[in-house]
Amino acid sequence: MAVASFALADYVVFALMLVVSAAVGIYYAWVDRSRRNPGNFLTGGRKLTALPVSLSLTASFMSAITVLSFPAEVYHYGANIGFYGLSYLMAMLVTSEVFLPIFYKLEITSTFEYLELRFNRATRLLGTLLFIVQTILYSGIVIYVPALALNQVTGMNLWGVVISTGVVCTFYCTLGGLKAVVWTDVFQLGVMIAGFLSVIIASVILQGGVINIFSDSQHGGRINFWDFDTNPLRRHTFWTVAIGGTFLWTSVYGTNQSQVQRYISCKSITHARFSLFINLLGLWLILLCSVFAGMCLYSIYKSCDPWTSGLLSALDQLMPYLVMDILGDYPGLPGLFVAAAFSGSLSTVSSSINALAAVTVEDLIKPYASMSERQLAWISKGTSLLYGVLCIGMAGLASLLGPIFQAVISIFGVIGGPLLGLFTLGILCPFATSKGALSGVVLGLAVSLWVAIGAQIYPPPPEMSRPLSLTTEGCNFTMTDSFSWTSTDLPTLPNFTSGFTTPISRPALADWYSVSYLYFSPIGTIITISVGLIVSVLTGGRKLNVESRLRLTKEDTSLYYLFKIIKDGVSTVAVSEYHI
């Protein structure tokens, strides 16, 4: 099925990316050989600066799912996922002003330590277990999906690629700890951007300029930003992406250990705040590249869609297919894009492995065992190795799920939403009790899971997901040097709405199940907070006295000092005018 095949130069570029990543781990293992303690391994000794941390934050969740699936989403549903840019901004503001001050001043390694300080140990253990399940599931999908897409288009060995990337990732995480993860993320982010730009530049040249690509996208309905429908059942509108995305990305940056562990490793809270907002610029750049790459896809294949014509089995294969189609004659460039896709996987999985090791040591081992710093350092390395093997194993399980972009976001919504609600209860609600917190997170998780499972059984109808039209009218299936298809009949079109068949009879709750997958996170968060507050009031929460260090105060926020500076400035001007 491949339009072209991988050349030796492509394998060299891909292998070079893996070698450089592994070398970073070896370097930091050697440099820090005399400082073997869990603090240095898991938080970099809290001496990192804003720039590398910010680039690491960007790379950590801009995975291969972003490189492959975001452009495919634009190609199939339109560019309104560009509103994620607004949700990124809101998430950074909330994280900087609400969550960062608390975690940084407590000097904790695991975010779930906060839950024990604020509530009790049972809440801490529940949060830890939910995070471990969420992260291992996500990591499996992140490793497997790009490997499958690239295998089916380029012919690269599927399990050879899965195991090699998993082993390299585990290697540098186990040897170098957080410093290795951060600096490999910096390198891998550069590779991701280079890979995107190679495809975009080639597409622009092929189509005769940026204006032609925008014109094709406009005529094809792909530039659909002005959709302000408030119906929560609609898959993507301004409101679903902006509101649902804000909850989703706040749960990722505000409470997810993989991200929090990075910015609290900065040498000052100022550096930590700067890292979040420099990271925001990186997120916007990756989003811009993803959306424009989707427009390039449509502009090139507007007359002959390779998916509906049966040449591809999944939308995730569109980007690799495009690369092999337009860059196959330039040895090394297809390899650069493959390296970009797997840089996304490596950066995400390495962050996950490091975070899993941190919560395991801090939440499941240290509270129950008395060990020396040296022993804990070796256990940190051992748990990194264990989780690396587990993530590779989960890639095998992900092979049963198939490459579903929506499933990835759903995992974060179902588990991340209730966890966001749990931390919000502790930080912003001084009368929230441990009974209220536990009740809220359990019910929030149950409802989120119920809706997510229902959505898989009863997927939304096409009028709610609204896939855009694709055509095969311009396809030519005559045998050529580049193409190897001989059939003159087009294959049966795939289902536009989901990998699941829509049942003929839909129950009364089908519309509830059809709510946009981006609302899974808000549903979990709101139910957790609402139930938590009600139970807390009923269990004597109004008499609770919470330490000031465990809740947000006005002095913790940068906005307080900003308003104070403005107020003092106005007062000074007023006094000067009075004397004049």
Side-chain angles (χ1 to χ4, degrees):
M1 189 190 71
V3 176
S5 59
F6 248 37
L8 177 62
D10 300 315
Y11 284 105
V12 169
V13 172
F14 178 66
L16 186 62
M17 182 272 293
L18 295 179
V19 169
V20 171
S21 298
V24 173
I26 295 172
Y27 171 77
Y28 278 105
W30 174 257
V31 168
D32 292 336
R33 64 191 183 281
S34 62
R35 295 191 291 273
R36 290 179 178 173
N37 61 76
N40 192 67
F41 184 81
L42 298 173
T43 63
R46 300 185 191 274
K47 295 180 180 178
L48 299 177
T49 55
L51 185 59
V53 170
S54 65
L55 298 178
S56 177
L57 286 170
T58 301
S60 294
F61 277 91
M62 293 297 103
S63 66
I65 304 295
T66 308
V67 176
L68 300 180
S69 293
F70 266 38
E73 284 282 308
V74 174
Y75 178 82
H76 194 208
Y77 293 100
N80 56 4
I81 64 166
F83 286 125
Y84 267 134
L86 178 59
S87 65
Y88 292 156
L89 173 61
M90 297 303 297
M92 294 312 117
L93 288 172
V94 173
T95 299
S96 172
E97 294 302 293
V98 177
F99 297 101
L100 167 61
I102 299 295
F103 294 140
Y104 197 89
K105 71 182 178 182
L106 289 175
E107 296 185 348
I108 54 179
T109 299
S110 165
T111 54
F112 304 104
E113 291 178 60
Y114 171 80
L115 295 179
E116 181 172 357
L117 293 171
R118 177 63 178 82
F119 297 118
N120 57 23
R121 181 162 292 184
T123 311
R124 176 181 183 175
L125 289 175
L126 178 60
T128 301
L129 293 175
L130 287 176
F131 170 76
I132 290 173
V133 170
Q134 175 194 43
T135 305
I136 293 178
L137 282 173
Y138 178 64
S139 298
I141 294 176
V142 163
I143 293 175
Y144 177 75
V145 170
L148 177 65
L150 293 163
N151 158 259
Q152 294 182 342
V153 176
T154 67
M156 293 181 72
N157 183 274
L158 174 62
W159 292 106
V161 172
V162 167
I163 292 172
S164 63
T165 52
V167 167
V168 168
C169 184
T170 303
F171 175 78
Y172 71 75
C173 284
T174 303
L175 283 182
L178 183 68
K179 288 181 182 177
V181 172
V182 167
W183 284 105
T184 50
D185 282 352
V186 172
F187 163 68
Q188 289 155 6
L189 181 62
V191 174
M192 288 169 67
I193 293 173
F196 258 137
L197 290 178
S198 67
V199 179
I200 289 171
I201 292 170
S203 300
V204 169
I205 294 172
L206 181 66
Q207 296 304 100
V210 173
I211 294 176
N212 289 339
I213 291 174
F214 272 104
S215 178
D216 290 340
S217 300
Q218 178 68 43
H219 291 146
R222 265 60 190 177
I223 302 179
N224 53 355
F225 291 114
W226 310 115
D227 187 348
F228 294 93
D229 188 350
T230 56
N231 187 345
L233 306 185
R234 287 284 310 283
R235 187 173 189 272
H236 285 161
T237 67
F238 169 82
W239 302 109
T240 56
V241 177
I243 296 174
T246 296
F247 277 84
L248 172 70
W249 290 105
T250 301
S251 73
V252 169
Y253 279 88
T255 64
N256 189 287
Q257 175 69 25
S258 300
Q259 300 296 73
V260 175
Q261 190 171 337
R262 272 150 191 68
Y263 56 71
I264 63 175
S265 67
C266 289
K267 61 184 182 181
S268 71
I269 194 169
T270 303
H271 273 268
R273 281 200 167 104
F274 273 127
S275 73
L276 283 172
F277 289 105
I278 299 172
N279 150 75
L280 177 61
L281 299 178
L283 292 178
W284 281 342
L285 177 61
I286 295 289
L287 180 63
L288 180 63
C289 289
S290 301
V291 171
F292 190 70
M295 292 181 184
C296 292
L297 272 173
Y298 179 74
S299 180
I300 292 173
Y301 296 122
K302 60 184 180 293
S303 300
C304 181
D305 171 45
W307 182 53
T308 55
S309 64
L311 307 182
L312 303 177
S313 60
L315 282 169
D316 290 337
Q317 298 168 14
L318 277 166
M319 279 298 287
Y321 180 86
L322 173 67
V323 169
M324 298 307 292
D325 191 5
I326 67 175
L327 295 177
D329 294 331
Y330 302 92
L333 288 183
L336 177 62
F337 180 80
V338 170
F342 279 98
S343 288
S345 289
L346 286 172
S347 62
T348 302
V349 176
S350 63
S351 302
S352 299
I353 290 173
N354 195 248
L356 287 166
V359 299
T360 301
V361 170
E362 295 295 325
D363 300 326
L364 303 181
I365 295 177
K366 277 179 72 172
Y368 305 99
S370 178
M371 296 183 180
S372 67
E373 290 288 290
R374 191 178 182 84
Q375 288 174 319
L376 286 172
W378 280 110
I379 288 176
S380 299
K381 292 178 182 288
T383 52
S384 292
L385 178 61
L386 172 64
Y387 281 121
V389 174
L390 272 177
C391 288
I392 296 172
M394 277 305 303
L397 180 60
S399 66
L400 304 176
L401 301 176
I404 306 171
F405 164 73
Q406 194 166 309
V408 175
I409 302 299
S410 298
I411 288 171
F412 276 103
V414 169
I415 300 179
L419 284 177
L420 174 61
L422 180 61
F423 280 98
T424 303
L425 270 175
I427 293 172
L428 297 182
C429 306
F431 55 89
T433 64
S434 57
K435 292 178 181 177
L438 279 171
S439 303
V441 75
V442 169
L443 194 58
L445 179 65
V447 173
S448 296
L449 196 58
W450 171 40
V451 175
I453 293 173
Q456 299 299 330
I457 299 172
Y458 302 102
E463 60 268 20
M464 291 295 109
S465 57
R466 298 193 185 181
L468 299 172
S469 62
L470 300 168
T471 182
T472 56
E473 291 178 358
C475 291
N476 180 6
F477 283 81
T478 304
M479 177 81 78
T480 68
D481 292 338
S482 297
F483 296 87
S484 58
W485 305 284
T486 57
S487 172
T488 56
D489 297 322
L490 292 180
T492 303
L493 299 186
N495 184 347
F496 281 159
T497 57
S498 171
F500 299 87
T501 304
T502 305
I504 296 173
S505 59
R506 292 171 67 85
L509 286 174
D511 282 348
W512 165 248
Y513 296 140
S514 296
V515 69
S516 172
Y517 68 96
L518 287 170
Y519 281 136
F520 292 168
S521 184
I523 288 171
T525 302
I526 292 169
I527 289 178
T528 299
I529 294 174
S530 301
V531 172
L533 290 177
I534 293 170
V535 174
S536 294
V537 169
L538 296 177
T539 54
R542 284 175 291 185
K543 299 177 183 178
L544 199 63
N545 185 21
V546 179
E547 296 179 62
S548 60
R549 70 192 183 108
L550 300 177
R551 54 186 172 82
L552 189 70
T553 62
K554 62 183 181 181
E555 289 80 10
D556 290 325
T557 67
S558 57
L559 288 176
Y560 168 76
Y561 294 101
L562 178 62
F563 287 134
K564 188 175 180 181
I565 290 171
I566 294 172
K567 182 180 177 182
D568 291 345
V570 170
S571 299
T572 302
V573 170
V575 170
S576 300
E577 290 178 350
Y578 175 77
H579 287 299
I580 291 172

mmCIF file of all heavy atoms in Angstrom, residues 312-337:
data_model
loop_
_atom_site.group_PDB
_atom_site.id
_atom_site.type_symbol
_atom_site.label_atom_id
_atom_site.label_comp_id
_atom_site.label_asym_id
_atom_site.label_seq_id
_atom_site.Cartn_x
_atom_site.Cartn_y
_atom_site.Cartn_z
ATOM 1 N N LEU A 312 -6.323 3.698 2.653
ATOM 2 C CA LEU A 312 -5.890 3.727 4.048
ATOM 3 C C LEU A 312 -6.995 3.133 4.901
ATOM 4 O O LEU A 312 -8.180 3.269 4.587
ATOM 5 C CB LEU A 312 -5.605 5.166 4.495
ATOM 6 C CG LEU A 312 -4.564 5.953 3.689
ATOM 7 C CD1 LEU A 312 -4.469 7.383 4.220
ATOM 8 C CD2 LEU A 312 -3.207 5.273 3.749
ATOM 9 N N SER A 313 -6.626 2.519 6.002
ATOM 10 C CA SER A 313 -7.632 1.908 6.873
ATOM 11 C C SER A 313 -8.013 2.799 8.044
ATOM 12 O O SER A 313 -8.982 2.515 8.746
ATOM 13 C CB SER A 313 -7.119 0.566 7.400
ATOM 14 O OG SER A 313 -5.918 0.748 8.137
ATOM 15 N N ALA A 314 -7.251 3.871 8.283
ATOM 16 C CA ALA A 314 -7.557 4.754 9.409
ATOM 17 C C ALA A 314 -7.064 6.166 9.102
ATOM 18 O O ALA A 314 -6.094 6.359 8.365
ATOM 19 C CB ALA A 314 -6.890 4.251 10.692
ATOM 20 N N LEU A 315 -7.747 7.149 9.684
ATOM 21 C CA LEU A 315 -7.370 8.552 9.466
ATOM 22 C C LEU A 315 -5.965 8.858 9.974
ATOM 23 O O LEU A 315 -5.282 9.740 9.448
ATOM 24 C CB LEU A 315 -8.381 9.468 10.163
ATOM 25 C CG LEU A 315 -9.723 9.666 9.455
ATOM 26 C CD1 LEU A 315 -10.707 10.370 10.382
ATOM 27 C CD2 LEU A 315 -9.545 10.468 8.179
ATOM 28 N N ASP A 316 -5.507 8.141 11.014
ATOM 29 C CA ASP A 316 -4.181 8.389 11.564
ATOM 30 C C ASP A 316 -3.069 8.140 10.550
ATOM 31 O O ASP A 316 -1.935 8.578 10.741
ATOM 32 C CB ASP A 316 -3.934 7.495 12.793
ATOM 33 C CG ASP A 316 -4.782 7.901 13.970
ATOM 34 O OD1 ASP A 316 -5.201 9.062 14.012
ATOM 35 O OD2 ASP A 316 -5.041 7.052 14.844
ATOM 36 N N GLN A 317 -3.387 7.426 9.469
ATOM 37 C CA GLN A 317 -2.370 7.112 8.473
ATOM 38 C C GLN A 317 -2.219 8.214 7.420
ATOM 39 O O GLN A 317 -1.328 8.142 6.569
ATOM 40 C CB GLN A 317 -2.730 5.796 7.771
ATOM 41 C CG GLN A 317 -2.764 4.606 8.706
ATOM 42 C CD GLN A 317 -3.398 3.383 8.066
ATOM 43 O OE1 GLN A 317 -3.586 3.346 6.854
ATOM 44 N NE2 GLN A 317 -3.737 2.399 8.870
ATOM 45 N N LEU A 318 -3.071 9.237 7.475
ATOM 46 C CA LEU A 318 -3.045 10.275 6.442
ATOM 47 C C LEU A 318 -1.721 11.031 6.399
ATOM 48 O O LEU A 318 -1.162 11.259 5.318
ATOM 49 C CB LEU A 318 -4.198 11.259 6.654
ATOM 50 C CG LEU A 318 -5.556 10.851 6.085
ATOM 51 C CD1 LEU A 318 -6.658 11.730 6.654
ATOM 52 C CD2 LEU A 318 -5.544 10.935 4.560
ATOM 53 N N MET A 319 -1.220 11.460 7.551
ATOM 54 C CA MET A 319 0.026 12.239 7.560
ATOM 55 C C MET A 319 1.219 11.421 7.068
ATOM 56 O O MET A 319 1.979 11.889 6.207
ATOM 57 C CB MET A 319 0.285 12.821 8.947
ATOM 58 C CG MET A 319 -0.504 14.087 9.243
ATOM 59 S SD MET A 319 -0.116 15.467 8.125
ATOM 60 C CE MET A 319 1.505 15.947 8.706
ATOM 61 N N PRO A 320 1.423 10.178 7.563
ATOM 62 C CA PRO A 320 2.521 9.383 7.013
ATOM 63 C C PRO A 320 2.354 9.126 5.512
ATOM 64 O O PRO A 320 3.334 9.122 4.763
ATOM 65 C CB PRO A 320 2.451 8.065 7.799
ATOM 66 C CG PRO A 320 1.689 8.373 9.018
ATOM 67 C CD PRO A 320 0.785 9.510 8.714
ATOM 68 N N TYR A 321 1.098 8.940 5.075
ATOM 69 C CA TYR A 321 0.829 8.716 3.656
ATOM 70 C C TYR A 321 1.236 9.948 2.836
ATOM 71 O O TYR A 321 1.874 9.833 1.783
ATOM 72 C CB TYR A 321 -0.655 8.418 3.468
ATOM 73 C CG TYR A 321 -1.067 8.155 2.038
ATOM 74 C CD1 TYR A 321 -0.971 6.880 1.494
ATOM 75 C CD2 TYR A 321 -1.543 9.177 1.223
ATOM 76 C CE1 TYR A 321 -1.343 6.631 0.184
ATOM 77 C CE2 TYR A 321 -1.915 8.949 -0.082
ATOM 78 C CZ TYR A 321 -1.817 7.668 -0.603
ATOM 79 O OH TYR A 321 -2.174 7.434 -1.901
ATOM 80 N N LEU A 322 0.873 11.134 3.331
ATOM 81 C CA LEU A 322 1.238 12.374 2.647
ATOM 82 C C LEU A 322 2.755 12.519 2.559
ATOM 83 O O LEU A 322 3.301 12.898 1.517
ATOM 84 C CB LEU A 322 0.635 13.572 3.387
ATOM 85 C CG LEU A 322 1.053 14.965 2.887
ATOM 86 C CD1 LEU A 322 0.497 15.223 1.493
ATOM 87 C CD2 LEU A 322 0.593 16.057 3.861
ATOM 88 N N VAL A 323 3.432 12.209 3.670
ATOM 89 C CA VAL A 323 4.894 12.329 3.703
ATOM 90 C C VAL A 323 5.532 11.427 2.658
ATOM 91 O O VAL A 323 6.411 11.858 1.895
ATOM 92 C CB VAL A 323 5.417 11.980 5.116
ATOM 93 C CG1 VAL A 323 6.934 11.837 5.106
ATOM 94 C CG2 VAL A 323 5.007 13.057 6.106
ATOM 95 N N MET A 324 5.097 10.173 2.605
ATOM 96 C CA MET A 324 5.679 9.246 1.637
ATOM 97 C C MET A 324 5.300 9.629 0.206
ATOM 98 O O MET A 324 6.047 9.352 -0.737
ATOM 99 C CB MET A 324 5.224 7.819 1.937
ATOM 100 C CG MET A 324 5.656 7.300 3.306
ATOM 101 S SD MET A 324 7.420 7.458 3.633
ATOM 102 C CE MET A 324 8.093 6.298 2.462
ATOM 103 N N ASP A 325 4.153 10.285 0.059
ATOM 104 C CA ASP A 325 3.676 10.690 -1.267
ATOM 105 C C ASP A 325 4.492 11.856 -1.825
ATOM 106 O O ASP A 325 4.950 11.820 -2.966
ATOM 107 C CB ASP A 325 2.189 11.067 -1.162
ATOM 108 C CG ASP A 325 1.531 11.237 -2.517
ATOM 109 O OD1 ASP A 325 2.193 10.981 -3.541
ATOM 110 O OD2 ASP A 325 0.349 11.626 -2.558
ATOM 111 N N ILE A 326 4.687 12.901 -1.008
ATOM 112 C CA ILE A 326 5.318 14.116 -1.540
ATOM 113 C C ILE A 326 6.793 14.245 -1.188
ATOM 114 O O ILE A 326 7.502 15.054 -1.795
ATOM 115 C CB ILE A 326 4.564 15.388 -1.072
ATOM 116 C CG1 ILE A 326 4.701 15.601 0.440
ATOM 117 C CG2 ILE A 326 3.098 15.321 -1.474
ATOM 118 C CD1 ILE A 326 4.073 16.898 0.933
ATOM 119 N N LEU A 327 7.263 13.468 -0.192
ATOM 120 C CA LEU A 327 8.676 13.557 0.198
ATOM 121 C C LEU A 327 9.444 12.269 -0.061
ATOM 122 O O LEU A 327 10.625 12.175 0.286
ATOM 123 C CB LEU A 327 8.794 13.922 1.691
ATOM 124 C CG LEU A 327 8.271 15.301 2.111
ATOM 125 C CD1 LEU A 327 8.390 15.466 3.621
ATOM 126 C CD2 LEU A 327 9.014 16.411 1.391
ATOM 127 N N GLY A 328 8.777 11.271 -0.639
ATOM 128 C CA GLY A 328 9.410 9.969 -0.841
ATOM 129 C C GLY A 328 10.637 10.019 -1.731
ATOM 130 O O GLY A 328 11.526 9.164 -1.634
ATOM 131 N N ASP A 329 10.723 11.018 -2.599
ATOM 132 C CA ASP A 329 11.872 11.140 -3.497
ATOM 133 C C ASP A 329 13.030 11.917 -2.882
ATOM 134 O O ASP A 329 14.036 12.167 -3.556
ATOM 135 C CB ASP A 329 11.447 11.834 -4.802
ATOM 136 C CG ASP A 329 10.463 10.995 -5.605
ATOM 137 O OD1 ASP A 329 10.523 9.751 -5.485
ATOM 138 O OD2 ASP A 329 9.639 11.577 -6.329
ATOM 139 N N TYR A 330 12.889 12.319 -1.620
ATOM 140 C CA TYR A 330 13.936 13.082 -0.938
ATOM 141 C C TYR A 330 14.431 12.275 0.262
ATOM 142 O O TYR A 330 13.898 12.401 1.366
ATOM 143 C CB TYR A 330 13.418 14.435 -0.478
ATOM 144 C CG TYR A 330 12.878 15.295 -1.601
ATOM 145 C CD1 TYR A 330 11.529 15.271 -1.942
ATOM 146 C CD2 TYR A 330 13.723 16.116 -2.336
ATOM 147 C CE1 TYR A 330 11.023 16.045 -2.977
ATOM 148 C CE2 TYR A 330 13.232 16.903 -3.375
ATOM 149 C CZ TYR A 330 11.879 16.855 -3.693
ATOM 150 O OH TYR A 330 11.397 17.622 -4.712
ATOM 151 N N PRO A 331 15.425 11.404 0.065
ATOM 152 C CA PRO A 331 15.901 10.535 1.155
ATOM 153 C C PRO A 331 16.257 11.328 2.407
ATOM 154 O O PRO A 331 16.934 12.350 2.341
ATOM 155 C CB PRO A 331 17.143 9.867 0.548
ATOM 156 C CG PRO A 331 16.914 9.910 -0.920
ATOM 157 C CD PRO A 331 16.183 11.210 -1.171
ATOM 158 N N GLY A 332 15.771 10.852 3.524
ATOM 159 C CA GLY A 332 16.044 11.499 4.807
ATOM 160 C C GLY A 332 14.872 12.281 5.337
ATOM 161 O O GLY A 332 14.652 12.335 6.558
ATOM 162 N N LEU A 333 14.076 12.907 4.443
ATOM 163 C CA LEU A 333 12.950 13.714 4.916
ATOM 164 C C LEU A 333 11.806 12.854 5.465
ATOM 165 O O LEU A 333 11.228 13.197 6.507
ATOM 166 C CB LEU A 333 12.455 14.646 3.805
ATOM 167 C CG LEU A 333 13.388 15.820 3.479
ATOM 168 C CD1 LEU A 333 12.781 16.716 2.416
ATOM 169 C CD2 LEU A 333 13.704 16.635 4.729
ATOM 170 N N PRO A 334 11.448 11.736 4.814
ATOM 171 C CA PRO A 334 10.461 10.858 5.464
ATOM 172 C C PRO A 334 10.951 10.366 6.824
ATOM 173 O O PRO A 334 10.177 10.266 7.777
ATOM 174 C CB PRO A 334 10.303 9.701 4.470
ATOM 175 C CG PRO A 334 10.634 10.294 3.147
ATOM 176 C CD PRO A 334 11.739 11.269 3.441
ATOM 177 N N GLY A 335 12.246 10.094 6.911
ATOM 178 C CA GLY A 335 12.817 9.679 8.194
ATOM 179 C C GLY A 335 12.714 10.761 9.243
ATOM 180 O O GLY A 335 12.500 10.483 10.426
ATOM 181 N N LEU A 336 12.853 12.029 8.811
ATOM 182 C CA LEU A 336 12.717 13.151 9.741
ATOM 183 C C LEU A 336 11.301 13.224 10.298
ATOM 184 O O LEU A 336 11.110 13.454 11.501
ATOM 185 C CB LEU A 336 13.070 14.460 9.037
ATOM 186 C CG LEU A 336 12.913 15.745 9.861
ATOM 187 C CD1 LEU A 336 13.837 15.728 11.076
ATOM 188 C CD2 LEU A 336 13.180 16.981 9.006
ATOM 189 N N PHE A 337 10.299 13.006 9.432
ATOM 190 C CA PHE A 337 8.925 13.054 9.932
ATOM 191 C C PHE A 337 8.635 11.890 10.874
ATOM 192 O O PHE A 337 7.970 12.063 11.906
ATOM 193 C CB PHE A 337 7.922 13.025 8.774
ATOM 194 C CG PHE A 337 6.493 13.081 9.255
ATOM 195 C CD1 PHE A 337 5.923 14.286 9.630
ATOM 196 C CD2 PHE A 337 5.748 11.929 9.373
ATOM 197 C CE1 PHE A 337 4.620 14.341 10.110
ATOM 198 C CE2 PHE A 337 4.443 11.966 9.850
ATOM 199 C CZ PHE A 337 3.878 13.181 10.217
#
